[in-house]
């Protein structure tokens, strides 16, 4: 097992966690406007580093939620993770954001159907969401996409089996996705503590990223928008 620092900044919930030998030993979350929670990231990381240093626990790697999600949040999170890896000569692990959102759903053990699919959704504004489909073993059934949600978007899978929708993009899809096989789970957000099992698996398999060249999975190009007060 390893000691890993986890950083998650893909949505308005910015969080940092530390895991050691399969246990979460430190965790903090701050909420703000879209990507704004990342303003607290430096302080949160400093406190996590101070915690491990005071307990003489050496880090083995840094894992970062790699997207999709907020452009600004992902950029800040990955930059912070890279800086720590450079400064402490640590390995970098990338954890897909939508995949990590499935972890708390599976831990709740509320899904009983063997053939059920999981559909994490991150709000991409208007009726668009970032989403993917996974089975209960977290095998990707449909790749990550930016979906403009209509009644037809997931129909081919909904006609065959139940799908559980969750995340901050799922709430706005409830009226549109009213298929009998569509189910919704509240209260799921990407948090650093849920990265632990996925990051540890990648650590054991030596799935590390090139610190110099790794970039987040933005999915869509960044489009600058003028603040309303300047329009």
């Amino acid at each position: 097992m390893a000691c890993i620092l986890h950083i998650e900044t893909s949505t308005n919930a910015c969080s940092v966690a530390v895991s050691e030998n399969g246990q979460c030993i430190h965790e903090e979350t701050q909420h703000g406007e879209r990507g704004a929670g990342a303003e607290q990231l430096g302080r949160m990381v400093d406190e996590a580093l101070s915690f491990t240093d005071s307990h003489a626990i050496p880090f083995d790697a840094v894992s970062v939620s790699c997207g999709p999600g907020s452009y600004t949040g992902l950029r800040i999170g990955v930059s912070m993770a890279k800086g720590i890896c450079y400064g402490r000569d640590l390995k970098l692990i990338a954890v897909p954001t939508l995949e990590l959102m499935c972890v708390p759903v599976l831990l709740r053990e509320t899904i009983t159907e063997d053939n059920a699919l999981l559909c994490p959704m991150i709000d991409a504004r208007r009726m668009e969401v970032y989403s993917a489909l996974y089975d209960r073993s977290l095998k990707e059934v449909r790749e990550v996409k930016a979906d403009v949600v209509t009644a037809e978007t997931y129909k081919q899978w909904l006609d065959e089996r139940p799908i559980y929708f969750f995340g901050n993009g799922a709430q706005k899809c409830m009226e549109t996705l009213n298929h009998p096989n569509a189910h919704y789970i509240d209260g799921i957000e990407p948090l650093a503590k849920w990265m632990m099992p996925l990051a540890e698996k990648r650590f054991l398999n030596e799935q590390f990223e090139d610190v110099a060249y790794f970039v987040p999975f933005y999915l869509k190009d960044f489009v600058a928008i003028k603040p309303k007060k300047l329009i």
Side-chain angles (χ1 to χ4, degrees):
M1 290 294 185
C3 181
I4 304 175
L5 174 68
H6 308 278
I7 297 173
E8 214 301 320
T9 56
S10 65
T11 65
N12 65 335
C14 174
S15 58
V16 171
V18 177
S19 65
E20 182 187 28
N21 299 327
Q23 300 292 323
C24 183
I25 60 175
H26 177 87
E27 191 262 337
E28 182 180 357
T29 299
Q30 292 286 333
H31 289 82
E33 300 249 338
R34 186 180 177 87
E39 294 174 357
Q40 296 291 324
L41 182 61
R43 176 193 59 77
M44 295 163 67
V45 166
D46 282 344
E47 291 183 1
L49 296 177
S50 296
F51 172 83
T52 53
D53 289 345
S54 66
H55 289 78
I57 304 172
F59 277 113
D60 297 291
V62 178
S63 79
V64 64
S65 178
C66 62
S70 161
Y71 182 95
T72 300
L74 292 172
R75 184 179 59 183
I76 292 172
V78 169
S79 296
M80 177 66 73
K82 283 185 170 186
I84 299 167
C85 288
Y86 274 124
R88 298 201 174 205
D89 191 24
L90 301 175
K91 300 294 186 181
L92 177 64
I93 300 170
V95 176
T97 305
L98 294 173
E99 187 176 341
L100 80 87
M101 290 172 65
C102 297
V103 172
V105 173
L106 294 173
L107 289 176
R108 287 184 181 184
E109 298 183 349
T110 55
I111 299 176
T112 58
E113 304 94 336
D114 290 336
N115 67 337
L117 295 179
L118 286 69
C119 185
M121 289 179 159
I122 293 178
D123 188 0
R125 298 182 178 171
R126 297 186 177 88
M127 279 307 291
E128 192 171 28
V129 297
Y130 302 130
S131 71
L133 290 173
Y134 300 91
D135 64 17
R136 292 181 61 181
S137 66
L138 290 185
K139 178 181 178 181
E140 191 176 82
V141 175
R142 199 217 69 179
E143 71 277 14
V144 179
K145 290 184 178 180
D147 293 321
V148 177
V149 179
T150 70
E152 302 297 317
T153 306
Y154 309 99
K155 188 175 186 301
Q156 69 178 95
W157 295 280
L158 284 167
D159 284 344
E160 297 175 353
R161 57 176 110 178
I163 300 180
Y164 287 80
F165 298 93
F166 49 91
N168 66 2
Q171 192 70 28
K172 68 182 184 182
C173 299
M174 293 181 68
E175 291 187 8
T176 303
L177 299 175
N178 55 8
H179 192 285
N181 274 336
H183 307 281
Y184 294 87
I185 302 175
D186 293 330
I188 301 297
E189 57 186 348
L191 296 178
K193 63 182 179 181
W194 304 131
M195 298 168 64
M196 180 179 66
L198 304 178
E200 289 190 343
K201 180 179 179 181
R202 285 166 170 76
F203 184 88
L204 292 173
N205 292 333
E206 298 186 353
Q207 293 178 249
F208 304 124
E209 306 297 331
D210 187 313
V211 177
Y213 296 104
F214 177 74
V215 294
F217 179 39
Y218 293 119
L219 190 56
K220 294 198 304 182
D221 293 333
F222 174 68
V223 179
I225 300 175
K226 288 184 179 181
K228 291 182 179 180
K229 66 180 180 180
L230 298 180
I231 297 176

